[in-house]
Structure formats: C-alpha cells, structure tokens
Amino acid sequence: MEKLNVAVYIRVANKETSREDSSIEKQKYIVNQYLKENIKGVKSKKYYIDNGFSGTTYNRPDFKKMIKDIEEKKINTVIVKDLIRFGRTNNTLDRIDALKRKYNINFISVEENIDSINKKEEFEQIRAIQQCIRDSYRESIRAGRRFAKERTER
C-alpha cells in the first residue's frame, strides 16, 4: 500500500461555530479517531480549516490551498467528518469524483461511511445511484417543460 499524505479538511460556518457536533475540535477528533482505527500507512497529515465559510461556495482559502496541494501531488487522501464540510452543493460528489479521477486521490467521509481506500465498491455504487437520481430528475424537468409547452399551445 502506498504511503498516505492526508488532508484533513474542516469547515465551520459562522452559525455552526458553537454547535458541539460541528466545532473544529469535534471534527478533528472524529476524523483522527477514524484514521487511527481504520487507515494504515499515514505518512503525513495536514489540516485545512476554513472557519466562518459557507459550503455553498468553493472559494474558501484553505479549500483552495488543499486543492493546490492535491494538484502538486503533496496530498493523495482527503478526509472529512461529513460531506457538507467539503461542500453544500448539488455537485459535491461530482467534484470529489473529478479529483479522484484526475489526481488519483482517496476520499473518506466518516459520517456517510464513504471510504475509497477500504470500500471502493461502495463509493462507486453511491456514484451510480446519484447519477440515476440526477438523470431521473433531469427527465422529470424535461417532461414538465414539454407538458407546459403543450398546454400553452392549445
């Protein structure tokens, strides 16, 4: 197994700062426990912390530093407490998948039990399910538009 250079990404929005389960220290604890109990071969670990930033944008200082370090091959594994720490957008898993494919990184989200090191098949199944849901939603929108157009043409 290759040695893992781990990015621990932590994000706290202003209104969540005081919530116990989302605090910076609680996120560190949860992630470190997971690494200790489940992941072998950690060579290095670096924290990237965006305190007071929304997950609806990827324009966050430490997030950008982490992406740069991935691009420069300094990081090969990203771990978060939960997916919304990484991002709160509809394309969060797409962004993660793109990073995985382009830079061959591992990704772990503790609370969603996503672990591309120990559970590769499950990660791919989640991606496939998400794609099916997205395709179904897109078709539903198209059907609604067709219906609305037909009603206005009558």
Side-chain angles (χ1 to χ4, degrees):
M1 173 182 247
E2 70 177 299
K3 291 292 182 185
L4 303 177
N5 297 312
V6 178
V8 176
Y9 184 72
I10 296 171
R11 182 189 60 77
V12 177
N14 287 331
K15 65 184 177 185
E16 296 175 329
T17 304
S18 62
R19 284 186 43 202
E20 185 178 317
D21 65 331
S22 295
S23 73
I24 291 170
E25 292 308 312
K26 184 66 172 184
Q27 288 182 58
K28 280 183 180 180
Y29 175 79
I30 290 169
V31 166
N32 286 327
Q33 281 300 114
Y34 188 89
L35 288 171
K36 181 179 167 184
E37 294 170 7
N38 299 283
I39 306 299
K40 307 276 186 271
V42 175
K43 179 180 174 186
S44 67
K45 177 173 57 176
K46 182 175 179 183
Y47 293 96
Y48 299 83
I49 302 171
D50 284 315
N51 191 352
F53 287 88
S54 170
T56 60
T57 177
Y58 292 101
N59 189 18
R60 298 175 243 142
D62 265 20
F63 185 86
K64 289 191 221 179
K65 287 178 192 171
M66 179 182 70
I67 297 301
K68 185 174 186 277
D69 285 349
I70 290 170
E71 291 169 346
E72 294 175 356
K73 306 273 188 209
K74 295 177 183 176
I75 298 295
N76 61 10
T77 304
V78 175
I79 184 169
V80 294
K81 173 187 161 276
D82 54 58
L83 283 175
I84 63 171
R85 299 302 120 203
F86 190 88
R88 290 185 83 121
T89 64
N90 289 335
N91 70 345
T92 297
L93 282 176
D94 290 336
R95 290 182 79 96
I96 293 165
D97 195 45
L99 288 170
K100 280 181 56 42
R101 292 182 193 283
K102 187 170 184 179
Y103 300 105
N104 196 32
I105 66 162
N106 303 300
F107 183 81
I108 300 167
S109 177
V110 176
E111 288 191 359
E112 285 84 6
N113 201 24
I114 296 171
D115 180 340
S116 69
I117 297 171
N118 296 314
K119 302 172 185 174
K120 289 179 184 183
E121 298 81 21
E122 289 177 22
F123 183 82
E124 294 305 318
Q125 289 171 350
I126 290 167
R127 294 291 298 130
I129 291 167
Q130 183 193 40
Q131 188 60 48
C132 288
I133 292 168
R134 192 175 299 124
D135 291 347
S136 175
Y137 177 72
R138 193 172 23 250
E139 185 53 40
S140 171
I141 296 293
R142 287 181 186 141
R145 288 180 182 152
R146 282 191 303 268
F147 177 76
K149 184 178 178 184
E150 289 171 3
R151 284 191 88 191
T152 58
E153 290 176 351
R154 289 183 193 174

